[in-house]
Amino acid sequence: MADTLYDTDLIIIGGGPAGCAAARMAASVGMRSILIEPDRLCRNLYRIPALNNVLGGHTNGPELADSIVAELKSTELCRLELGRHVTELRADDDQVTVTVDTGARLTAPYAIVATGVGPLQPRDVAWITAPDGLTLPPLWQAEADEAEGRTLLVLGGDRPIGTFLRAHPATGTRLIVAYPAADAYKIEEVREDPRVTFVPVEYLTLDLTEGTSVSAEVVGQGGARQTITADAAYLSIGNAPTAPPGDLIRGTDGYCPPADQHPRVIVAGDLRSARFQRIMTAMGSGSEAALHAYYAARELLAKD
């Protein structure tokens, strides 16, 4: 499908499961692609110690990531641009133009944006007060050996809690999960785990000033107050979309609804919505996005 007017047939921004699946599908129908990723391919998959919702017999993230990366690196029609950041995305009537941090500009008839999401921090949610500039690691970064025998304060009830517990079934780590009412439905899968203590909160003030431990002053959902102490604090409060700057339409929640975008910009994977953030849905979305670009390009050629 090569056209000398463009640098490639398809530009893919983001090298997670959605972006990698898009590149693989594009190659299967003869489309050249350039995939731009600021980190390593499938970087977040390498941080998931246990999987229970993907096909193919993969039981952990690194195993699945290695499989995806090996397939993509053997895909001759995909050119990888790793370690590069997209600084601007522009969509015109006849092409998309993507500028990277080197200043180089790449053009194609279509672009797929699959940059996904990143972890929220305490400053991003209204129910937590924390010291200025505080950045905490997400729970999936907690190493089992370092956490063994310790008590961890987990802020938020998002699903990575279940992933951590399944990945370390014999760990002696105790989790104190402080969560707002909006997260109540998310903790059902781990509610019976004896290693977890649940603290429903209305408001929480975090203090990291005393030695190496952490403490939190909590106002419960019924108004009762208590102090929680732990050896360390981790996050499980959810994610925020990480869209590149430029011609993308963002909703009030920061996500980029596919139906609202320029016809030459296709949004795939977790960036679409908070509702479908799963590995399987991301890969299917990326594959579908590549086919969308393929058939749209064919229709343009037929009109010409």
Side-chain angles (χ1 to χ4, degrees), residues 117-128:
V117 297
L120 289 166
Q121 288 293 325
R123 60 182 173 271
D124 298 318
V125 295
W127 60 276
I128 299 175

Side-chain angles (χ1 to χ4, degrees), residues 65-78:
D66 283 344
S67 175
I68 293 173
V69 170
E71 284 201 39
L72 194 59
K73 286 186 174 179
S74 68
T75 302
E76 294 183 359
L77 290 178
C78 177

Side-chain angles (χ1 to χ4, degrees), residues 22-193:
R24 190 69 172 169
M25 179 61 75
S28 75
V29 292
M31 296 182 77
R32 300 173 305 149
S33 67
I34 298 175
L35 188 152
I36 305 166
E37 165 57 47
D39 203 314
R40 64 191 298 194
L41 295 174
C42 294
R43 66 189 185 278
N44 287 337
L45 275 183
Y46 282 104
R47 299 163 180 164
I48 300 177
L51 296 175
N52 67 345
N53 63 346
V54 298
L55 297 173
H58 300 291
T59 59
N60 60 72
E63 183 181 285
L64 176 59
D66 283 344
S67 175
I68 293 173
V69 170
E71 284 201 39
L72 194 59
K73 286 186 174 179
S74 68
T75 302
E76 294 183 359
L77 290 178
C78 177
R79 174 179 135 199
L80 296 176
E81 290 286 342
L82 302 181
R84 298 271 69 90
H85 292 266
V86 171
T87 59
E88 186 177 52
L89 166 67
R90 290 298 173 207
D92 300 313
D93 290 341
D94 57 350
Q95 68 179 28
V96 291
T97 304
V98 173
T99 306
V100 296
D101 51 355
T102 62
R105 290 190 174 127
L106 302 169
T107 60
Y110 293 93
I112 294 174
V113 184
T115 47
V117 297
L120 289 166
Q121 288 293 325
R123 60 182 173 271
D124 298 318
V125 295
W127 60 276
I128 299 175
T129 294
D132 290 341
L134 175 67
T135 299
L136 293 176
L139 180 61
W140 46 258
Q141 287 187 2
E143 297 290 341
D145 292 343
E146 296 178 4
E148 177 64 35
R150 305 179 78 202
T151 297
L152 307 182
L153 172 61
V154 181
L155 304 179
D158 213 31
R159 291 187 176 90
I161 296 170
T163 301
F164 177 85
L165 294 170
R166 286 191 299 272
H168 311 297
T171 183
T173 306
R174 179 180 173 229
L175 303 183
I176 302 177
V177 177
Y179 67 95
D183 284 0
Y185 74 98
K186 299 179 182 179
I187 63 173
E188 290 304 318
E189 65 174 349
V190 297
R191 187 177 289 279
E192 302 303 320
D193 195 302

Side-chain angles (χ1 to χ4, degrees), residues 260-282:
D260 295 345
Q261 307 306 319
H262 188 282
R264 293 188 179 271
V265 176
I266 309 162
V267 175
D270 292 355
L271 188 61
R272 298 171 299 161
S273 166
R275 298 182 64 184
F276 304 111
Q277 291 183 10
R278 296 290 188 275
I279 296 166
M280 289 286 284
T281 56

Side-chain angles (χ1 to χ4, degrees), residues 6 93-94 109-110 264 295-304:
Y6 308 109
D93 290 341
D94 57 350
Y110 293 93
R264 293 188 179 271
Y295 286 115
R298 289 189 62 178
E299 289 176 6
L300 286 176
L301 287 172
K303 291 178 181 178
D304 292 342

